[in-house]
Amino acid sequence: MAIEVRVPTILRSLTGGEKAVPAEGASLGDVIENLETNHPGIKERLVDSGDLRRFINVYVNDEDVRFTGGLETTVSDGDAVVILPAVAGGEA
Amino acid sequence: MTVSECGRIGRVWVPGETPLYSRGVLTIDQAAYDAVVAHARRDHPDEACGVVAGPAGSDRPERIVPMLNAARSPTFYEFDPTDLLRLYQDMDARDEEPVVIYHSHTATEAYPSRTDISLAQEPGAHYVLVSTRECGNDEGPVEFRSFRIVEGEVTEEEVRVVPAYGASKPQPMEQQ
């Protein structure tokens, strides 16, 4: 059993249109490396200078990883990872 | 096309601008339009934000979901990350998508800022901007404008407010 990663619309051009793809790894960082192997270009959209991008939200089993260790968040088979770009903006 | 044929429009086209009617159109019913405007007035002077969800592929904004502006700021908005997850899970369960993503500008015009453009990540959505700079919390004029924002490119579209969706023909989809 793998980890299921749900991919937002804007990144589906990198996953052949798939809404969800399987991945493997022991941490979120590993999962993203594994995604990059199968879907080149995706890592750069998620990670900048070794940390999650400010306007990308990632959840492991519905928990925002900002509160669970970021890229070091542990994951295991059967976990669900959701990637959602922030909905943000403003006149500033 | 005359104003009476297309319903109420967000603003009047000014010569020299890209014609409003040359590209897309946002068709929104009066109830959803009123709810978006009411939310913007209520939250002024902070920016209000939310979505109007609709059945996937329908291009019909039906269910307004006002969101908390986690930034609680007059110059910035961001959906609370936990609420954002719940929103997308809810839309998935209902087979919906965010047809409209709206927010207000409280001191400037209803046009996407550089921040709005750089952070826009839903190429299929109509980005609606409401300006409350004139009306504040009260009744009074608001600007209500709609845009596509795709890879940094902004395209304004006509806003058509209809009494209800049943009467009019479905609009052709642009984002599929």
Side-chain angles (χ1 to χ4, degrees), chain B residues 50-140:
Chain B
V51 306
V52 191
S58 71
D59 202 29
R60 215 166 54 207
E62 290 185 349
R63 188 172 67 89
I64 177 170
V65 188
M67 300 294 288
L68 183 73
N69 177 2
R72 293 175 198 275
S73 160
T75 54
F76 193 74
Y77 80 96
E78 180 170 10
F79 290 10
D80 174 81
T82 304
D83 295 347
L84 177 75
L85 176 65
R86 202 169 302 129
L87 169 71
Y88 274 78
Q89 288 175 330
D90 205 26
M91 288 193 296
D92 264 2
R94 294 162 180 259
D95 198 20
E96 289 177 340
E97 58 194 7
V99 179
V100 165
I101 296 175
Y102 71 86
H103 77 281
S104 61
H105 284 177
T106 57
T108 58
E109 68 174 332
Y111 191 87
S113 67
R114 284 167 61 181
T115 313
D116 293 332
I117 296 164
S118 66
L119 296 182
Q121 301 194 78
E122 279 289 1
H126 302 267
Y127 280 90
V128 163
L129 279 98
V130 175
S131 175
T132 54
R133 63 178 165 174
E134 283 190 65
C135 65
N137 299 116
D138 304 319
E139 293 304 307

Side-chain angles (χ1 to χ4, degrees), chain A residues 21-92:
Chain A
V21 294
E24 289 174 3
S27 69
L28 178 61
D30 292 350
V31 165
I32 291 174
E33 291 297 338
N34 184 247
L35 284 176
E36 176 68 16
T37 307
N38 296 318
H39 312 285
I42 201 164
K43 180 182 172 184
E44 193 239 324
R45 306 289 294 272
L46 306 175
V47 176
D48 181 37
S49 310
D51 211 345
L52 273 180
R53 286 185 177 275
R54 162 69 179 87
F55 292 105
I56 289 287
N57 296 298
V58 179
Y59 311 83
V60 174
N61 299 334
D62 296 355
E63 290 277 341
D64 185 340
V65 300
R66 289 211 166 76
F67 303 113
T68 60
L71 293 174
E72 287 163 24
T73 302
T74 54
V75 293
S76 49
D77 278 1
D79 282 353
V81 174
V82 175
I83 301 167
L84 284 178
V87 179
E91 68 192 35

Side-chain angles (χ1 to χ4, degrees), chain A residues 2-18:
Chain A
I3 293 152
E4 185 195 67
V5 182
R6 294 191 64 88
V7 179
T9 310
I10 197 159
L11 296 182
R12 287 179 200 158
S13 57
L14 299 170
T15 59
E18 292 295 325

